[in-house]
């Protein structure tokens, strides 16, 4: 696949993976992208996952023939991109490895060597001339690890964005939901905590004339780049992407679920533009995390359990807090047969987040939903619709 006349795609699709990064389901598989820039010098942009060396090498060699790559640019040391550095150097011992100082430290941790014979350290603003193409490196710490660099090619106006602008899903599967759905789940799962750092990268990118974005996962982006940049700006500033209410619940015997469903129906009846209802025990937690960041209003419904809250809700709230959840309005529904304390516990956990406001109404259920609870749900819906 040609990205431009002189930039070729040499990435691979993974349909065998069970969990990406050991935790995310990827029903459409995963793509590990890699690119080669063919000029007076040849530069390979990142390697790919450990399982795909032969396929990747074949694609590279199809594109460069007998030429030997002059440079391997390592933008990110997470193994889904770096696992084949040693194999690559075995094949091409003369190739220089271009990476940040921290990337070489991590390289030594993974491979037992930082390849001193091949090593070129680059920092912010460093340039690499390939002929017509001149690469400029920019540091992008914590997008998604501390050693990350991204690369701008001023010749074809391409930003190689490392994990930034990535997406779950292999490239040979059509994603019927469009780019944003799986890109959002990927973003909030993987770099959501580091909004400040993503904002810093977007500021650097704003000074560049970018026509194409080449990420390390997901499709190459070449049209309507404003759409993607705007979404990244909203996500990384923890802004509200869509009007509506996200309800997440856990339910042991169906009573808390019934309250969550009643609230959802009331919101719809009152004209709420969108209600997303999620069962934390049965759905994909990463999908619910994504929804919590998408909408401005969130309702959490759970039971008191072992003097704490139900485990799936505890994990969910901990995940939100860990990912820098902020700028949201939250409503709470608790259930407890003899001493409901779930609302108090959820509130205490969420108070660690910035700029969170709670609704005036908290719904407190004792075992089953009563007429009084229905009235409370009605009040809650009025506050959130
Ligand atoms: Fe795609 Fe952070 O590795």
């Amino acid at each position: 696949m040609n990205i431009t006349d002189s930039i070729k795609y040499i990435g691979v699709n993974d349909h065998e993976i069970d969990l990406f990064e050991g935790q995310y389901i990827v029903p459409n598989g995963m793509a590990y992208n890699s690119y080669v820039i063919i000029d007076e010098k040849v530069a390979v942009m990142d390697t790919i996952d450990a399982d795909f060396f032969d396929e990747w090498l074949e694609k590279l060699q199809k594109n460069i023939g007998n030429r030997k790559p002059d440079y391997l640019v390592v933008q990110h040391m997470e193994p889904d991109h770096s696992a084949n550095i040693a194999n690559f150097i075995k094949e091409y011992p003369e190739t220089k490895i271009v990476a940040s100082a921290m990337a070489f430290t991590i390289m030594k941790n993974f491979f037992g060597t930082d390849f001193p014979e091949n090593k070129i350290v680059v920092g912010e603003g460093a340039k690499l001339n390939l002929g017509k193409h001149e690469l400029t490196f920019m540091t992008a710490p914590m997008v998604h690890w501390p050693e990350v660099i991204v690369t701008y090619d001023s010749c074809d106006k391409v930003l190689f964005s490392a994990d930034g602008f990535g997406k779950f899903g292999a490239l040979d599967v059509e994603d019927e939901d469009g780019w944003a759905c799986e890109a959002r789940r990927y973003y909030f799962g993987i770099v959501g905590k580091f909004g400040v750092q993503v904002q810093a990268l977007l500021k650097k990118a704003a000074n560049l004339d970018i026509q194409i974005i080449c990420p390390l996962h997901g499709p190459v982006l070449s049209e309507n780049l404003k759409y993607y940049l705007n979404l990244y700006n909203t996500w990384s500033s923890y802004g509200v992407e869509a009007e509506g209410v996200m309800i997440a619940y856990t339910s042991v015997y169906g009573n808390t679920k019934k309250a969550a469903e009643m609230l959802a129906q009331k919101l719809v009846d009152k004209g709420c533009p969108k209600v997303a209802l999620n069962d934390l025990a049965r759905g994909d937690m990463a999908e619910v995390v994504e929804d919590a960041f998408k909408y401005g209003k969130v309702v959490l419904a759970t039971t008191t359990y072992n003097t704490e809250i139900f485990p799936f809700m505890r994990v969910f709230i901990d995940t939100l807090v860990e990912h820098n959840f902020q700028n949201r309005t939250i409503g709470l529904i608790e259930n407890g047969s003899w001493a409901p304390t779930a609302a108090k516990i959820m509130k205490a956990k969420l108070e660690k987040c910035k700029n969170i406001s709670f609704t005036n109404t908290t719904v407190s259920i004792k075992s089953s939903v009563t007429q009084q609870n229905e009235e409370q749900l009605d009040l809650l819906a009025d506050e959130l619709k």
Side-chain angles (χ1 to χ4, degrees):
M1 178 169 55
N2 288 353
I3 309 300
T4 67
D5 286 348
S6 46
I7 302 177
K8 317 288 175 185
Y9 181 83
I10 55 168
V12 298
N13 292 310
D14 185 351
H15 291 290
E16 300 302 315
I17 186 168
D18 61 343
L19 293 174
F20 179 66
E21 292 190 358
Q23 58 174 317
Y24 299 104
I25 58 162
V26 280
N28 289 339
M30 199 65 200
Y32 313 114
N33 296 341
S34 170
Y35 308 88
V36 59
I37 308 172
I38 304 168
D39 199 338
E40 287 163 30
K41 304 276 186 189
V42 171
V44 176
M45 306 300 293
D46 295 289
T47 80
I48 36 77
D49 181 84
D51 291 341
F52 298 89
F53 180 68
D54 292 341
E55 182 183 341
W56 174 65
L57 188 66
E58 197 183 315
K59 286 185 180 180
L60 172 64
Q61 293 178 338
K62 254 191 197 152
N63 279 287
I64 64 171
N66 291 328
R67 292 186 68 181
K68 306 239 181 290
D70 298 277
Y71 302 106
L72 170 64
V73 177
V74 174
Q75 300 185 110
H76 182 18
M77 273 306 298
E78 195 163 12
D80 49 336
H81 313 293
S82 69
N84 280 299
I85 294 173
N87 288 335
F88 179 88
I89 292 299
K90 241 184 242 162
E91 190 75 25
Y92 296 113
E94 311 281 298
T95 300
K96 298 292 180 200
I97 302 173
V98 180
S100 67
M102 169 115 24
F104 282 107
T105 303
I106 299 174
M107 219 175 286
K108 195 163 188 179
N109 296 340
F110 275 116
F111 296 106
T113 173
D114 60 357
F115 304 93
E117 306 297 316
N118 308 76
K119 179 175 177 179
I120 298 179
V121 177
V122 291
E124 180 69 29
K127 292 186 188 299
L128 183 69
N129 199 288
L130 305 177
K132 278 193 217 147
H133 294 257
E134 184 179 63
L135 305 183
T136 304
F137 303 106
M138 289 166 283
T139 56
M142 303 320 296
V143 189
H144 143 230
W145 278 12
E147 84 297 357
V148 170
I149 54 172
V150 300
T151 307
Y152 179 64
D153 168 29
S154 53
C155 175
D156 287 343
K157 305 194 188 319
V158 176
L159 178 70
F160 296 92
S161 58
D163 273 344
F165 299 95
K167 175 183 169 297
F168 293 127
L171 299 188
D172 54 359
V173 178
E174 192 171 341
D175 190 340
E176 287 163 6
D177 296 324
W179 182 85
C181 186
E182 283 293 70
R184 188 191 302 104
R185 188 168 71 96
Y186 170 92
Y187 174 86
F188 282 109
I190 285 164
V191 280
K193 179 180 175 62
F194 303 108
V196 170
Q197 291 84 347
V198 175
Q199 283 278 303
L201 179 58
L202 290 177
K203 282 204 178 84
K204 291 181 194 182
N207 298 322
L208 304 169
D209 177 8
I210 300 167
Q211 303 294 325
I212 301 173
I213 297 175
C214 289
L216 288 177
H217 303 287
V220 170
L221 308 173
S222 57
E223 278 167 26
N224 196 13
L225 293 190
K226 256 200 172 150
Y227 167 76
Y228 307 101
L229 288 160
N230 284 343
L231 276 178
Y232 253 61
N233 187 37
T234 302
W235 296 344
S236 57
S237 59
Y238 304 97
V240 174
E241 183 188 334
E243 290 305 316
V245 178
M246 194 286 279
I247 305 170
Y249 68 87
T250 66
S251 193
V252 188
Y253 292 107
N255 292 299
T256 316
K257 177 181 179 180
K258 183 178 170 191
E261 287 175 343
M262 285 171 90
L263 176 66
Q265 190 56 54
K266 284 176 186 296
L267 284 164
V268 171
D269 293 346
K270 289 173 192 285
C272 180
K274 170 78 190 174
V275 181
L277 184 65
N278 292 296
D279 178 344
L280 286 172
R282 291 170 181 82
D284 168 27
M285 182 86 68
E287 194 81 53
V288 194
V289 169
E290 167 198 344
D291 267 356
F293 283 97
K294 181 177 180 182
Y295 299 104
K297 296 166 189 173
V298 169
V299 176
L300 304 175
T302 198
T303 47
T304 307
Y305 190 83
N306 286 340
T307 68
E308 246 282 343
I309 52 175
F310 204 66
F312 292 96
M313 182 59 81
R314 193 172 63 222
V315 171
F316 180 63
I317 296 176
D318 286 348
T319 306
L320 293 183
V321 174
E322 184 194 309
H323 284 68
N324 254 331
F325 190 63
Q326 53 187 275
N327 303 338
R328 296 298 188 270
T329 300
I330 297 180
L332 300 171
I333 300 173
E334 66 176 2
N335 194 349
S337 290
W338 55 93
T341 53
K344 195 174 146 198
I345 294 169
M346 286 192 282
K347 196 170 179 191
K349 287 179 185 292
L350 289 157
E351 272 168 350
K352 291 181 205 144
C353 301
K354 272 192 263 173
N355 197 20
I356 294 290
S357 58
F358 293 93
T359 54
N360 295 324
T361 310
T362 294
V363 181
S364 188
I365 301 162
K366 276 193 171 159
S367 304
S368 66
V369 179
T370 62
Q371 181 60 39
Q372 193 195 355
N373 291 145
E374 273 205 65
E375 286 159 19
Q376 290 173 324
L377 289 166
D378 208 58
L379 289 173
L380 185 56
D382 279 334
E383 283 193 61
L384 294 169
K385 68 187 177 193

